Amino acid sequence: MNFIALLVAAIIPMIVGFVYYHKSVVGSAWMSVTGMTEEKAQQGNMPLIFGISFLFSLFLSFGLNGIVIHQAGLFSLFGGDTADELFKQVMAVKGDAFKTFQHGALHGFIAAVVIALPILGTNALFEQKGWKYIWINVGYWAVTLTLMGGLLCAWK
């Protein structure tokens, strides 16, 4: 696990959020469906919000790393020295075959669909938010997790 890659991946949600939630992209629509105003946004403690958001993004990069780099998964079924030796042999031949941006991006996108969508969708339904709210936020996480997954998997 490369800690620098995890740190860089944790910055991606901030960068994507800055662009994605800009007024000229979906920011105005997001403000409309959430009831957020410029005045209310200015009242937030931005250093605290960004600090905790970065910490959460770091947690996410740790978790996503295991989803997008999963070569050891099959071998964990066997355990013991035989599995260790078999794993080393397979990794020597095929180790980096699927450590590409495209592979990680695919798994990041899949994580958005099977993890982010159900969580955000369920919360939004109980909060009685509309589908526009759900798709705006899931769209952000789909872009973010796709890029994070691609970076984490391709980082050498």
Side-chain angles (χ1 to χ4, degrees):
M1 185 178 308
N2 187 323
F3 191 68
I4 301 299
L6 296 171
L7 284 173
V8 173
I11 296 169
I12 290 174
M14 305 295 187
I15 295 168
V16 172
F18 178 77
V19 173
Y20 188 83
Y21 287 104
H22 189 274
K23 288 181 191 179
S24 62
V25 184
V26 300
S28 295
W30 174 80
M31 288 181 81
S32 174
V33 298
T34 61
M36 180 63 71
T37 63
E38 292 285 343
E39 296 77 30
K40 188 175 178 182
Q42 298 297 326
Q43 294 172 358
N45 181 343
M46 288 305 162
L48 181 65
I49 290 169
F50 281 107
I52 293 173
S53 293
F54 180 75
L55 181 63
F56 289 161
S57 295
L58 193 56
F59 293 169
L60 183 59
S61 69
F62 273 94
L64 190 59
N65 191 63
I67 292 172
V68 301
I69 301 174
H70 48 83
Q71 285 90 336
L74 174 66
F75 297 96
S76 66
L77 296 172
F78 302 107
D81 294 337
T82 304
D84 291 342
E85 188 56 38
L86 181 59
F87 176 71
K88 288 176 189 174
Q89 291 173 10
V90 170
M91 291 304 288
V93 176
K94 295 286 188 183
D96 286 339
F98 293 100
K99 285 193 73 186
T100 64
F101 184 87
Q102 295 87 345
H103 183 84
L106 174 64
H107 285 282
F109 182 78
I110 291 169
V113 172
V114 301
I115 298 171
L117 172 61
I119 291 170
L120 294 172
T122 299
N123 285 351
L125 291 172
F126 279 99
E127 293 169 359
Q128 298 183 10
K129 303 284 186 186
W131 283 101
K132 188 174 183 179
Y133 173 89
I134 293 170
W135 292 123
I136 288 172
N137 289 304
V138 170
Y140 162 75
W141 284 110
V143 171
T144 298
L145 292 171
T146 298
L147 292 174
M148 288 177 77
L151 181 137
L152 287 167
C153 197
W155 195 286
K156 306 278 190 243

